[in-house]
């Protein structure tokens, strides 16, 4: 077995921080690449006792991303609704940043039973209601900074701290004059989607696609990689639908426990647009057509409302 330090130069700092947290006896004996590292290097660490950990490693400049992730995991865990991997160690040296989490043996969310249990847990998360929309700190959606300055008006929060920054990034990258024309029409009209709907300030996961949700062997629902803030619970549901992967029983159980507003389908494209724009800005032109389709659809719907 290779010495871990030869596999990744960040591991000596990781091991030192783990020793501070768990005891000087700890020694990492293996470090194996695992899935979950599309943005960072992801490793399964094992110490001499056989204990395992999930570690994310990145250049030191990315330390704020790990700090925000740890904050979000702690907030969800404190709600008592969904299981999250516990934060074991968080740190950085001159060259590297790292986050070490509890290792959990995760299984995909596929069965009707698992879907229903996950829905019940998500409802419990969303029923954790605060006083303002936003969050006490900014965080990230993927690699993209996500501003969370607290506001009392959800529609204005979503326009100013979600859509407008994404459209501005798309403009800076030179994406499609027609997309910007749709943006100019849309941003001032979004509040019309909320004239008869006042969402509570729910605690949200914020990036709830199927890759960030799982269950343990006993069916316990688990989430990770959050982009936590307080907002409209519909936005978590819309994100879960955007890329698919959740069983139908999940949606049925959620609606049974806490029915959605009758106009949810009209607002769903708004919430999808934020994530598709983020993918456009992160991954490029393949997401341009869908961004334009969603923005155009929203403008057409809002135009009909004014007639």
């Amino acid at each position: 077995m290779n010495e871990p330090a030869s596999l990744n130069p960040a591991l000596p700092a990781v091991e030192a921080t783990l020793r501070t947290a768990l005891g000087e006896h700890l020694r990492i004996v293996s470090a194996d690449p695992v899935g979950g590292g599309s943005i960072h290097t992801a490793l399964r660490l094992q110490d001499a006792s056989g204990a395992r950990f999930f570690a994310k490693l990145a250049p030191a400049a990315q330390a704020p991303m790990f700090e925000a992730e740890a904050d979000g995991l702690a907030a969800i865990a404190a709600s008592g609704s969904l299981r999250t991997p516990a934060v074991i160690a968080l740190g950085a040296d001159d060259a590297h940043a790292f986050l070490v989490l509890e290792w959990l043996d995760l299984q995909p969310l596929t069965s009707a039973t698992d879907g229903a249990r996950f829905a019940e847990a998500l409802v419990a998360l969303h029923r954790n209601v605060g006083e303002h929309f936003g969050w006490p700190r900014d965080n990230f959606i993927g690699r993209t900074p996500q501003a969370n300055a607290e506001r009392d008006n959800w529609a204005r929060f979503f326009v100013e701290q979600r859509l407008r920054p994404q459209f501005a990034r798309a403009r800076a990258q030179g994406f499609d004059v027609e997309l910007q024309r749709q943006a100019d029409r849309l941003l001032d009209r979004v509040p019309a989607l909320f004239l008869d709907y006042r969402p509570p300030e729910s605690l949200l996961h914020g990036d709830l696609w199927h890759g960030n949700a799982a269950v343990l062997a006993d069916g316990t629902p688990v989430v990770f990689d959050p982009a936590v803030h307080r907002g409209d619970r519909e936005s978590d549901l819309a994100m879960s639908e955007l890329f698919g992967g959740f069983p139908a029983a999940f949606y049925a159980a959620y609606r049974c426990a806490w029915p959605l507003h009758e106009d949810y389908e009209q607002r769903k494209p708004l919430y999808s647009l934020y994530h598709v724009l983020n993918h456009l800005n992160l991954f490029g032109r393949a997401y341009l057509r869908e961004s334009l389709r969603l923005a155009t659809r929203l403008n057409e719907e809002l135009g009909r409302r004014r007639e």
Side-chain angles (χ1 to χ4, degrees):
M1 181 178 296
N2 293 329
E3 284 299 314
S6 69
L7 301 178
N8 192 296
L11 287 177
V14 173
E15 185 176 69
T17 304
L18 283 173
R19 285 177 175 172
T20 299
L22 301 176
E24 290 298 322
H25 63 281
L26 186 142
R27 184 170 71 90
I28 297 173
V29 297
S30 67
D32 301 312
V34 293
S38 60
I39 297 176
H40 315 293
T41 298
L43 300 173
R44 181 180 60 217
L45 308 181
Q46 184 168 312
D47 73 4
S49 73
R52 294 180 295 171
F53 310 93
F54 179 76
K56 293 185 175 184
L57 314 177
Q62 295 184 26
M65 296 181 68
F66 290 153
E67 293 165 2
E69 181 176 347
D71 172 74
L73 291 170
I76 294 173
S79 76
S81 56
L82 284 150
R83 177 74 183 275
T84 63
V87 176
I88 307 299
L90 173 67
D93 59 18
D94 291 341
H96 310 100
F98 54 87
L99 174 65
V100 183
L101 303 175
E102 173 189 17
W103 178 269
L104 296 176
D105 289 316
L106 301 175
Q107 301 179 6
L109 185 68
T110 55
S111 75
T113 299
D114 290 342
R117 290 186 66 178
F118 194 95
E120 292 168 0
L122 186 65
V123 166
L125 178 72
H126 290 167
R127 288 197 183 279
N128 185 308
V129 175
E131 296 181 355
H132 308 284
F133 299 109
W135 195 243
R137 62 170 295 155
D138 295 341
N139 49 33
F140 297 84
I141 183 74
R143 294 192 302 271
T144 305
Q146 182 170 260
N148 288 318
E150 294 179 322
R151 290 182 176 231
D152 294 325
N153 184 300
W154 170 248
R156 299 317 308 175
F157 173 92
F158 198 79
V159 167
E160 299 301 332
Q161 299 190 73
R162 295 294 183 265
L163 290 183
R164 195 181 298 279
Q166 293 287 358
F167 278 122
R169 290 185 182 97
R171 180 180 289 112
Q173 295 186 65
F175 284 122
D176 201 66
V177 172
E178 176 60 19
L179 179 63
Q180 300 308 323
R181 188 178 75 84
Q182 293 293 337
D184 291 341
R185 294 178 61 202
L186 177 62
L187 292 176
D188 289 336
R189 303 165 79 183
V190 166
L193 290 168
F194 296 88
L195 294 178
D196 300 316
Y197 175 59
R198 296 290 185 273
E201 301 89 342
S202 292
L203 182 60
L204 306 180
H205 178 279
D207 193 10
L208 192 65
W209 71 292
H210 71 88
N212 289 340
V215 294
L216 300 181
D218 64 359
T220 299
V222 182
V223 293
F224 37 92
D225 290 344
V228 160
H229 58 286
R230 293 195 180 278
D232 181 6
R233 65 193 176 103
E234 289 184 350
S235 62
D236 263 356
L237 273 294
M239 178 55 171
S240 75
E241 292 189 57
L242 182 59
F243 298 112
F246 285 82
F250 162 72
Y251 298 103
Y254 188 99
R255 289 173 180 268
C256 182
W258 193 359
L260 296 176
H261 188 272
E262 61 184 4
D263 293 335
Y264 165 65
E265 292 295 330
Q266 296 176 23
R267 283 182 294 274
K268 185 167 67 174
L270 180 75
Y271 296 131
S272 298
L273 177 60
Y274 173 61
H275 294 289
V276 175
L277 284 170
N278 188 49
H279 278 64
L280 172 67
N281 290 320
L282 289 174
F283 306 119
R285 188 165 293 273
Y287 292 91
L288 178 57
R289 178 179 295 183
E290 182 64 5
S291 297
L292 182 58
R293 186 190 71 82
L294 288 168
T296 302
R297 175 182 170 184
L298 285 161
N299 274 319
E300 290 174 350
E301 168 64 26
L302 288 165
R304 285 192 293 269
R305 287 182 175 221
R306 297 181 67 177
E307 293 175 355

